Amino acid sequence: AAAMDRAIPCGSKLCARREEQRRHDMHRERIRTVRPLVDTTEPYAAHMDHVRNNLKREQLLEERYSEIDRENRILLKKMSGIMSTPRTEEKKGPGPSSLNRDARKKELLRITKENQSILRRIQQAQPVYNHVEMEGTHRRNMGYLRNCAEYPLVVRTPRSARGGVGNTSSQMVRLGAEEDARPQSARSFGGGAAGS
């Protein structure tokens, strides 16, 4: 146990503790009264008038304000002149204001009728693709694929099915989980296709 004691040997522990406390107090006093080596006070030039006041900027501002006042006086003079003069209404001469007004009106009516007929044909047109038939064909083909596959199928889900345009990554899911997420009628239809 004596070999493990690495303390500095001293004649009296009481005197050694008092000496250590005195050195510590002297160190704290030196730190408290330390003076900086760099002068961080405000320089003398900062109190000079040509440094504190930017005379050139003040001159530019004064010229700008005088220019604005001059423009305002000119504008006020023009407005007062306009308000003081009597207003005279322009008299329309006899005859139509436009020589081709009737022709333009007929052309506008013809274009409107053509647009209405095109819109009517578009609304009455029948779709070329049958989405119900395409969905049924897809389910039947997926049933064939399940019957032929040896291991559980894993497909990529479409981005719109996971909710959002900002979703730019695809997700791998099992085909059985995708079938469970469909409505009951769709699962029964797909099951019939798979069984066949």
Side-chain angles (χ1 to χ4, degrees):
M4 295 299 295
D5 189 5
R6 298 183 180 180
I8 299 176
C10 58
S12 174
K13 293 184 178 181
L14 182 62
C15 293
R17 189 179 302 111
R18 188 179 301 167
E19 181 67 17
E20 183 67 25
Q21 183 66 31
R22 186 180 68 83
R23 291 178 182 176
H24 182 67
D25 294 341
M26 291 172 61
H27 173 66
R28 290 178 62 88
E29 182 66 21
R30 285 195 298 270
I31 291 177
R32 189 179 63 82
T33 59
V34 67
R35 298 180 61 183
L37 298 178
V38 180
D39 186 10
T40 58
T41 59
E42 187 178 6
Y44 175 75
H47 299 283
M48 297 182 178
D49 293 336
H50 72 280
V51 177
R52 298 176 65 89
N53 301 325
N54 191 349
L55 300 179
K56 184 64 177 179
R57 184 171 59 87
E58 293 180 0
Q59 180 184 358
L60 293 176
L61 287 176
E62 188 67 25
E63 292 177 358
R64 178 60 180 165
Y65 292 153
S66 62
E67 182 69 18
I68 292 174
D69 292 338
R70 188 179 69 84
E71 292 178 357
N72 289 338
R73 286 195 300 270
I74 294 173
L75 182 61
L76 181 61
K77 185 177 179 181
K78 290 182 179 180
M79 292 178 63
S80 61
I82 293 172
M83 295 296 293
S84 61
T85 56
R87 299 179 60 183
T88 57
E89 297 182 357
E90 297 180 358
K91 296 182 179 180
K92 296 182 179 180
S97 58
S98 178
L99 298 177
N100 59 349
R101 183 177 60 180
D102 296 336
R104 288 190 288 109
K105 187 175 181 180
K106 290 180 181 179
E107 184 67 17
L108 182 61
L109 290 175
R110 184 185 63 82
I111 294 174
T112 305
K113 289 181 180 179
E114 289 182 359
N115 291 339
Q116 290 179 355
S117 62
I118 292 172
L119 177 62
R120 192 180 304 109
R121 288 197 300 270
I122 291 174
Q123 291 177 348
Q124 294 177 358
Q126 297 297 327
V128 178
Y129 298 101
N130 189 353
H131 66 92
V132 178
E133 183 180 354
M134 293 175 67
E135 183 68 21
T137 304
H138 172 70
R139 292 199 188 99
R140 184 169 62 253
N141 292 336
M142 294 303 293
Y144 294 156
L145 183 61
R146 275 199 308 273
N147 291 338
C148 297
E150 183 177 358
Y151 298 102
L153 296 177
V154 177
V155 295
R156 291 182 181 271
T157 58
R159 297 174 182 175
S160 60
R162 295 192 305 280
V165 179
N167 195 352
T168 58
S169 61
S170 58
Q171 184 180 3
M172 305 291 288
V173 296
R174 292 187 59 182
L175 188 60
E178 185 184 7
E179 291 293 330
D180 294 339
R182 294 177 179 173
Q184 184 66 29
S185 60
R187 290 201 299 269
S188 62
F189 186 81
S196 61

